[in-house]
Amino acid sequence: MSLADYPLVRHWIGTDGDRLVIRTGKVDIGQRISSALARIAHEELSLPLERIEVAPVTTAGLDEGITSGSLSIEHSGSALRAAAATLRAHVTDLAVARSGGTPKDWSWQDGTLTRPGLNRPLPVLALIAEADPDLAADPTLAPQPPAATAPHMRGISDLVTGRYTFLPDLDLPGMRHARVLRPPHARATLEALDDSAAEKLADRDIRLIRDGSFLALAGPDEWAVTKALATLAAACTWDTPPLPEDDVFARLTAETARRFPVTGGVPAEGPVRAPLEDTLTKARFERPYLLHAALAPSAALAEWDGAALRIRSHSQGIHALRDSIATSLDLPADAVEITHHPNAGCYGHNGADDAALDAALIARAIPGTPILLKYTRADEHGWEPFAPAMALDLAARLVNGQIEAIDAEVFSDTHRGRPRAGANDAGPRRLLSNRFRDPAWPAPEAAPNMNRHGGMHRNLDPAYTIPEKRLIKNLVAGLPHRTSALRCLGNTTNIFGLESLMDMLAEEAGQDPFAFRRVHLDDPRSIAVLDRLEALARDTPRAMGHGIAFAQYKNAMTRTAVAVDIDLTDASEIRLRRAIVVADAGRVIDPEGLAAQLEGGFLQGASIALHEEITWDRGGITSRDWDSYPVLRFDNVPEITVEIIADPGNPPAGAGEATPGPAIAAIANALCDATGLRMFRTPFTPDALTRAALAG
Amino acid sequence: MALTLSINGEPREIEADPETPLAYVLRNELGLKGTKIGCGLEQCGACMILADGAPFPSCAAPAASFAGKEITTIEGIASRPAGARVQAAFIAETAAQCGYCTAGLVVACTALLEANPSPTEDEAKSALAPNLCRCGAHPRVLRALARAAT
């Protein structure tokens, strides 16, 4: 899509004279895309990395959609590679025209072009500045071989010295710090506000901004504003109907769902077949609502000059956000400009977009003043768009050691809550504070994601060869919480279930987990990944429990096999001892960055498996800090071995989402190996293990 | 009476309300924005500083409670031999993903190595447990710590 929309070399690459400037529509969300892009340009154009700059990503620049789905390298990376390779050939021709020889006489080195017999090498950047502006990028050119220089993470020196500026660190002259005061929960509305509150706050140089039930404070002193939230809260009377407390898993059924048969990863409108018969092995797998829980609460900086809004946001989709904010404020789209600025890693649609609207609402009330809005930890934990609770019903028919048929029905609320264009103002209605303004923009009804492996059905289709499959997506509405995209979408639950089932079936078939999986795989690259894992695992000392899992992300991207060794303490706590990750992500651009994504994904999956669960009662969300929503910490990080099967002949596949699903499943399988307990719902807390043991 | 704090080896007169948490004073009054705020609840370690060489969260405790202590922030950590080693090791091991936890971790690793120059793997893991990382850069951080250890 990227090259189709932006076909010219100059769309992707330019020069400011001193440096090469790369343009991209993909943003850094902790996945190091800018480091990988710089490396591509470095490989193709032989320029030192310090002379390669990645231009700020703004709504005035390239629109590559949302930065998500592990597609940054496939989209932006492939386009940039084509542009750079084309530019290399073109610049070589310019060198020939200027100083003779034939193209193959010229060699590229460290920012210069030279050929035998030439006294003065030609500077690459000067030739690039003369390049034909209408040059179209040719995606068929062969890439240069991988660079020998050590990969370098952009910004690492600034990070370790504290000089790196994250969005919450921005500071502009005359800037005001802002906070919001949220209602007790999503269904509450502001009934009354004590009139004297605004005066009391004004005495402390703090402005109160109100629009319906949306409340915010802004002032010059950040701590004074933070403290003033308590004053404001005391002045509010809320109408607070109880949040529904019924069991959400009991509502994840076909009864109220919109149902879609899924074939080859693609859902369709149409009749849903009756369940398969003679399926003897059945199991239901579940996961609760989850948080993204970025380490930095979301933030945004906005300034309104009376006619236009300029916003800095860490949103993954600045173009769609720009349109949604413009509609929210009844402004033309070109009156809103959003520039991406990094904040902490986000792992999907977190509070970034909501924060941008909030900053805009406050900025518009205080013209000519930069507004830096930050959420508190409780705001982020309590109000970010949650990853939906999910259930997966599985049934399989095993004949002579082979799976003859599988029936898989997945149940979930939508994973698609990003503010993007759609019918009935779906964009603005997905921004949180619009629901509290007067007039309010009520939450939109979720539209099913019908894309291949697009939503809850991501990896619902087993990557294994199974003669008969019945796969159903069930979109359930009317559940208690606002939901959206978390890294991997439905994959984490589907792979948790399917790979647990594979172990259950392997045991029934009397086969070991490796052999049983291989029997059902045709793809040589998948088998190679499993074989390598088996070889590595054989040489690793075992703990109390050992488990494996395999997946190919979206059945089309990175192939990943994971082995985990765990111990169980006397207090039923899972201790992660060792993990092995083997992955084939095609051509590797930044091996360090790839390994980091695989390790990081494994640990996020482990955190989901062991700890993560949103809780609430009738009064609101109760998991609003790191004690009530615990995550994996250093003291339970296993020794992790990552092995990448590099395949330079194949296109690169993103790997940011390859490991969480297999990590969860491998831990569940290791737990079963250690204790005989098959766990069907995350997280595997000591309480959950004890309950399962007593029930079993 | 105005509050004076010793920060990175220099006495600094503080104008802010002495009840202001130290991290807000560092960031907003002194412009030392390397200290991050992640929770304001002393639960995540992003705001870790050294107070008389010991690691301490700065996001909630009042600035006044640090009076008389020698405070070292990420901006001053390189002046300590262990700190400079830890920074170099984090770069060598690319021990960051998004990097929001990095400053707090560099401080925590420095404190650990000053107290225990050759920590075991288990000692390292439990010493860093107060510091959250959500991207999963833990293995790299542990490798960096091992590289910086003597």
Side-chain angles (χ1 to χ4, degrees), chain A residues 291 381 611-615 621-631, chain B residues 43:
Chain A
L291 288 177
H381 267 48
H611 299 293
E612 299 191 31
E613 177 170 22
I614 290 169
T615 56
I621 302 296
T622 50
S623 47
R624 298 187 69 157
D625 62 19
W626 295 113
D627 282 344
S628 49
Y629 190 91
V631 298
Chain B
Q43 293 174 346

Side-chain angles (χ1 to χ4, degrees), chain A residues 523-537:
Chain A
D523 169 46
R525 290 169 70 186
S526 297
I527 293 170
V529 163
L530 267 179
D531 286 348
R532 187 66 193 134
L533 182 73
E534 188 173 23
L536 289 170

Side-chain angles (χ1 to χ4, degrees), chain A residues 256-424:
Chain A
T256 59
R258 295 174 66 187
R259 313 186 73 202
F260 307 92
V262 177
T263 312
V266 183
E269 303 275 355
V272 171
R273 282 196 287 157
L276 300 182
E277 292 176 0
D278 304 325
T279 53
L280 296 178
T281 307
K282 294 186 200 303
R284 178 178 166 96
F285 295 87
E286 296 167 335
R287 76 131 194 247
Y289 287 98
L290 300 175
L291 288 177
H292 304 77
L295 193 60
S298 293
L301 181 82
E303 186 169 0
W304 167 250
D305 67 7
L309 258 174
R310 279 193 308 280
I311 302 174
R312 290 200 235 179
S313 165
H314 54 105
S315 165
Q316 290 175 278
I318 55 174
H319 294 268
L321 177 62
R322 185 261 319 266
D323 295 347
S324 297
I325 287 181
T327 310
S328 302
L329 301 181
D330 203 16
L331 291 169
D334 62 7
V336 180
E337 182 177 299
I338 304 182
T339 301
H340 184 268
H341 195 103
N343 199 6
C346 66
Y347 329 111
H349 176 206
N350 70 352
D353 299 84
D354 296 328
L357 172 66
D358 292 350
L361 289 170
I362 300 162
R364 213 177 46 158
I366 312 176
T369 308
I371 300 295
L372 179 60
L373 168 85
K374 298 177 193 169
Y375 289 158
T376 63
R377 176 48 53 195
D379 291 339
E380 188 77 17
H381 267 48
W383 291 94
E384 63 150 279
F386 300 159
M390 287 182 68
L392 174 66
D393 278 343
L394 294 176
R397 189 192 310 143
L398 190 69
V399 179
N400 297 328
Q402 292 228 29
I403 307 170
E404 207 179 67
I406 188 158
D407 197 327
E409 291 214 31
V410 63
F411 305 87
S412 170
D413 200 339
T414 186
H415 292 251
R416 201 179 220 189
R418 293 183 195 277
R420 52 177 132 198
N424 303 318

Side-chain angles (χ1 to χ4, degrees), chain A residues 451-532:
Chain A
N451 295 332
R452 182 183 298 272
H453 291 280
M456 74 176 82
H457 56 287
R458 181 164 294 174
N459 285 96
L460 175 66
D461 188 0
Y464 301 103
T465 305
I466 298 170
E468 188 178 7
K469 294 176 185 174
R470 175 183 176 273
L471 311 172
I472 312 294
K473 165 187 176 113
N474 292 272
L475 180 61
V476 181
L479 297 172
H481 305 301
R482 180 176 73 132
T483 58
S484 192
L486 171 69
R487 188 180 194 175
C488 307
L489 307 186
N491 159 286
T492 37
T493 304
N494 293 329
I495 294 299
F496 163 44
L498 287 167
E499 286 297 291
S500 296
L501 180 75
M502 287 304 280
D503 263 33
M504 293 163 68
L505 294 171
E507 192 182 350
E508 257 184 76
Q511 295 181 34
D512 82 69
F514 282 105
F516 186 71
R517 283 171 174 79
R518 268 194 296 262
V519 162
H520 294 90
L521 282 172
D522 296 327
D523 169 46
R525 290 169 70 186
S526 297
I527 293 170
V529 163
L530 267 179
D531 286 348
R532 187 66 193 134

